[in-house]
Amino acid sequence: MFDVIRKYVARLGLSARTGAPTEARPRGYNLFEAAAAYVAARARDDQDGVEEASSWVSPEALSFGVGELASRAVLALAHERSTSPRAVARDLLGLPAD
């Protein structure tokens, strides 16, 4: 699962708006960059990274970004596994199949 997230985060290396590398822009973080950094830090159990990413945007924006990232990850895994997003989500959470 984390491979899918890592691949997605790697694709975020370009700005969605300008197509320019993120390093070429002034360092202002958007909610998706913050969410990607936050989730990656949580996966590594990196508390300093979690705190840093949390400071980039408001808690509400971070929550929205994490939710969007989760949705996209579940859809990517469902496509990869040729199964439904519901089945993938239940499997990731350790819930019994429907």
Side-chain angles (χ1 to χ4, degrees):
M1 174 179 112
F2 292 115
D3 286 339
V4 172
I5 294 172
R6 279 189 209 103
K7 288 177 188 175
Y8 180 74
V9 170
R11 286 188 295 183
L12 290 177
L14 294 179
S15 168
R17 281 186 243 158
T18 66
T22 53
E23 292 76 30
R25 297 188 282 133
R27 204 59 218 155
Y29 297 99
N30 72 39
L31 66 101
F32 296 116
E33 289 173 314
Y38 177 85
V39 169
R42 291 279 311 263
R44 291 188 316 266
D45 198 25
D46 173 11
Q47 188 59 37
D48 291 336
V50 167
E51 291 173 12
E52 181 182 351
S54 296
S55 71
W56 294 348
V57 295
S58 72
E60 295 82 9
L62 183 60
S63 178
F64 176 81
V66 169
E68 185 65 22
L69 179 57
S71 296
R72 293 178 187 196
V74 166
L75 288 173
L77 282 172
H79 179 73
E80 186 178 285
R81 295 179 182 181
S82 298
T83 188
S84 73
R86 181 179 175 88
V88 169
R90 293 183 67 81
D91 181 51
L92 291 173
L93 292 170
L95 299 172
D98 282 339

